[in-house]
Structures are given as structure tokens and as C-alpha cells.
Amino acid sequence: RFRDLAKDANLEYTSFIRTTERSHAAAVEDIWCRLVQKGYIYKGTHSGWYAVSDEAFYPSSQVEEVIDPTTGVKSHRSKETGKEVVWTDEENYKFRLSEFRLPLKQWIEKSGPIYPRQRQEEVINYLSEEAHTQDLSVSRLSSRVGWGLPVPDDPTHTIYVWLDALTSYLTAIGYPWVDSSTMKSAGWPADIHVVGKDIVRFHAVYFPAFLMALDMPLPKGILCHAHWTMNKQKMAKSVGNVVDPFQILQKYSSDSVRWYLARVGGHFVDDVDWSLEQLALIHDRDLRDLGNLYRRLHAPSMCEGSLAALPSISSSDSLEAEFATSLMSLSGDVARSMQEMAISRSLDRIMGTLDMVRPCISS
């Protein structure tokens, strides 16, 4: 279905990977063994608040007690995701994440790889507290979690799902590589990782720490987007507030849907409520406005005779001067916005300049 969706949405991909593939399992085993050889994985006892749905441990500072208003039953939840957590004590293999807190913080502060910048500040603040980067549990007892990859030479443990899943970025482009030149030609490090805001910690803290431990280059950028919601709630099959992308693409072209997603959702900072009515409005309005502008610019009165002069910022006509000023700074403004991954801002800037054309033509 995902392949079908990519085809209908006119999206191209170089690799489609399942973590059940044998090549992926071999890559995960290779990374595990390298981390063990380097002394970054050791066996110990892990105690902490564990969220089954998030498949993650949380420090006490990230957990809050809640009381069900109906039953009065007390429980604990993650402040970050709102999912229930339970206290867990078990034997695990652990990764020495604590050794990478300062190197990670220095990398982010120096390279500025995380967009939007608000998310980067959140990660920096997270890394500023030593308690947030205690050594990370990277296995679960097979008796509790048996569906993952077994720990090499110790089948009583299953490799932590995120160490497994994050390796797929490398597996998809041929890891393990013979040498650094093969790695670079394969496409690593990645120019940009696109991830949801609820998993930024795994991609901006855990994964880079694993890569540092392996002496591998870090991703050049991490774009962390907010969520598309429905009636101000996160979409979920269990709730039933989901959108069928196949139906949307059948009614509107992939370009129209892409334009709506970029124009409305391309700020990435805040959640955006999905609206079919808004999609239809933007589709009709922008398509109509661009079509009308095209026809006016290609009208015989505009195309015949002598060539019109380019708009001038020194014109006595205030509309022309304003338009010329906007036009001259347009490419630079758009380039800066795109470098900052502010897609919506780029499109707003372009459309704002085009909106100035119509009154200029009329005058």
C-alpha cells in the first residue's frame, strides 16, 4: 500500500525497506558487534519508567502522576507523549549514552542541524540536563519482547527496537560498506532526515550517539515536522479520525495536494488541522488566480507592439516601485527561507509578489 501511495502521489524513492529483511538483520548485528567491541555496550540492570506504546524508557523528571477523573485510579504518564508508563526492573544490555551528552550538545550548537530552530532549542535544553542522558537500555528480555532481532550470542535478549529501526537508514543504502569512499558514494551522511516531532529525541540524540560511537559521520540536517491533526486531535486508526490519501489524490491532482501540504503545513512548528474544505479553497483560489494572471500577461494587448520596460524601484508610481522592490529581493528571501526549511514562508513570499502584479497591470 505504501508503494501504491508513492505511485499515486507521484513520489520517487531509491529504496523501500522492511526491517524484516535479512540484509537489515545482518546490518543490525554488525552494528551491535562493533559497539560491543568498542566497549559501548555492556550488560547491567535497568530500572525506570517504560512506555510500552512508545517503546521507550523515560527518566522520572519526564513522568507525571495522573488521576482518572471518573474512577479515581492513579497512573503515570510520559509528559512528552502522554502515554502510560510503568516501573520496570530487568536485566538489559545498555549503551553508554552518558558519554555522548556533551559531544552531542556541542555538535548541535556548532552545526545547527535541527529545523525548525524551536525544536533545536528543545533538544539542546534536553541535553543540558545530565539526568536525561543516562545509559540507554538497548535490549529487552526475549521472554517479554520476542518479535525483534535477537542479541548476537545471547538469544535471551531482543535488540531494542529503536537501535534496530534507526539502522534502516544505513541498510537502505548498502551498509556495511567496504570503506569510506563506498559510504560516500552510497549517499552517507544524509543531507536531511525528515521526522515527526514525537520522535526527534531518537533521531537527534540516540541515533547520532550511536553514529559517534561507530566513528561514522552524522546527518547534515534533521527536519522535525509537527503533526497533521483532525478536529485538533492527532490522527489515529483507533480513533477513526484519519484521511484516506488515495481518495484525496483521486479527486485532486498530486500537485494540488502537494501544494496544499506545503502551503499550509510547511511551517512545521505547530500542528495543522487537516481540512478538505481548505484544500478545495486553496486549490480553486490559487489555480484561478494563477490562471487569470497567465491569461492577462498573454493577452494581445500585452504581447503586441514594443516591449514593456521592467518595473523600476525609482518609479513615481508607488505600485510599480513596491512591486520592483519586492521582485528584486524575492530570490534572496526565498533562498534563505528554503535554507531554513521554511517551505510555507517561501511560498507565501512568492505568492505575495505575484499578488502585486495584477494591480500593476491594471494601472
Side-chain angles (χ1 to χ4, degrees):
R1 293 290 283 172
F2 283 106
R3 288 190 175 98
D4 292 339
L5 179 58
K7 182 179 179 181
D8 287 1
N10 195 26
L11 298 173
E12 294 185 359
Y13 55 87
T14 54
S15 179
F16 186 94
I17 185 171
R18 292 180 182 275
T19 54
T20 53
E21 295 173 6
R22 179 55 204 157
S23 59
H24 175 73
V28 174
E29 183 174 335
D30 181 83
I31 283 178
W32 180 278
C33 291
R34 287 180 61 189
L35 291 173
V36 170
Q37 291 169 3
K38 288 175 171 287
Y40 290 117
I41 288 180
Y42 64 95
K43 183 179 281 190
T45 300
H46 192 87
S47 300
W49 295 102
Y50 186 76
V52 176
S53 57
D54 295 339
E55 295 173 327
F57 279 97
Y58 292 97
S60 297
S61 60
Q62 293 295 102
V63 172
E64 60 184 354
E65 183 180 81
V66 294
I67 301 175
D68 189 303
T70 304
T71 64
V73 175
K74 294 181 180 180
S75 63
H76 292 83
R77 299 186 181 278
S78 161
K79 294 179 182 179
E80 183 179 348
T81 66
K83 302 298 184 181
E84 184 176 3
V85 297
V86 293
W87 187 261
T88 303
D89 292 286
E90 66 179 37
E91 181 186 67
N92 300 95
Y93 284 93
K94 304 180 78 172
F95 171 74
R96 299 185 189 278
L97 180 64
S98 56
E99 295 188 17
F100 296 94
R101 182 179 70 87
L102 291 180
L104 285 169
K105 188 170 180 286
Q106 291 166 0
W107 164 62
I108 294 172
E109 291 174 337
K110 180 180 179 180
S111 301
I114 304 173
Y115 304 91
R117 292 311 184 194
Q118 291 92 324
R119 298 283 179 249
Q120 177 161 290
E121 288 304 313
E122 290 172 6
V123 175
I124 291 174
N125 291 337
Y126 180 86
L127 290 170
S128 296
E129 296 190 32
E130 191 172 344
H132 289 164
T133 52
Q134 298 173 359
D135 287 354
L136 178 69
S137 170
V138 287
S139 77
R140 300 298 310 280
L141 289 172
S142 300
S143 58
R144 295 190 177 186
V145 180
W147 46 263
L149 296 173
V151 168
D153 301 321
D154 189 352
T156 63
H157 286 262
T158 300
I159 295 176
Y160 176 50
V161 64
W162 276 103
L163 177 57
D164 177 346
L166 290 167
T167 302
S168 63
Y169 289 116
L170 309 176
T171 310
I173 51 176
Y175 180 89
W177 303 292
V178 176
D179 50 37
S180 59
S181 62
T182 306
M183 175 188 70
K184 291 178 181 178
S185 62
W188 192 263
D191 289 319
I192 191 78
H193 277 176
V194 182
V195 304
K197 67 177 184 179
D198 52 342
I199 54 174
V200 65
R201 176 161 50 94
F202 303 98
H203 289 80
V205 177
Y206 297 167
F207 189 41
F210 296 151
L211 294 171
M212 284 182 176
L214 294 166
D215 296 321
M216 290 179 60
L218 307 184
K220 299 174 185 177
I222 303 171
L223 173 59
C224 177
H225 61 78
H227 293 149
W228 282 94
T229 58
M230 179 69 77
N231 299 322
K232 306 301 181 181
Q233 289 185 317
K234 185 178 178 181
M235 294 186 192
K237 288 183 179 180
S238 57
V239 179
N241 61 341
V242 295
V243 176
D244 187 335
F246 292 99
Q247 292 180 0
I248 301 299
L249 289 166
Q250 283 180 355
K251 185 172 183 179
Y252 300 92
S253 69
S254 60
D255 284 340
S256 290
V257 176
R258 193 191 305 263
W259 177 259
Y260 170 69
L261 295 175
R263 186 87 194 268
V264 177
H267 292 291
F268 301 123
V269 178
D270 299 316
D271 292 346
V272 180
D273 217 38
W274 170 269
S275 169
L276 190 58
E277 292 76 15
Q278 189 180 34
L279 189 159
L281 175 65
I282 290 177
H283 169 84
D284 294 339
R285 182 195 66 197
D286 290 354
L287 188 62
R288 181 184 63 247
D289 289 351
L290 288 173
N292 289 339
L293 179 60
Y294 179 85
R295 284 194 296 271
R296 294 188 69 180
L297 290 173
H298 286 77
S301 59
M302 295 290 292
C303 297
E304 295 177 356
S306 60
L307 294 175
L310 291 173
S312 171
I313 59 174
S314 59
S315 172
S316 58
D317 185 324
S318 60
L319 286 176
E320 179 182 339
E322 183 182 4
F323 173 54
T325 301
S326 178
L327 197 61
M328 288 184 66
S329 60
L330 178 63
S331 62
D333 289 347
V334 170
R336 281 188 293 273
S337 294
M338 292 300 290
Q339 288 172 354
E340 296 170 5
M341 302 296 167
I343 311 301
S344 290
R345 193 169 72 212
S346 297
L347 298 180
D348 289 345
R349 180 67 175 84
I350 293 169
M351 296 303 290
T353 299
L354 289 176
D355 286 341
M356 296 180 180
V357 178
R358 282 180 291 275
C360 287
I361 294 175
S362 299
S363 64

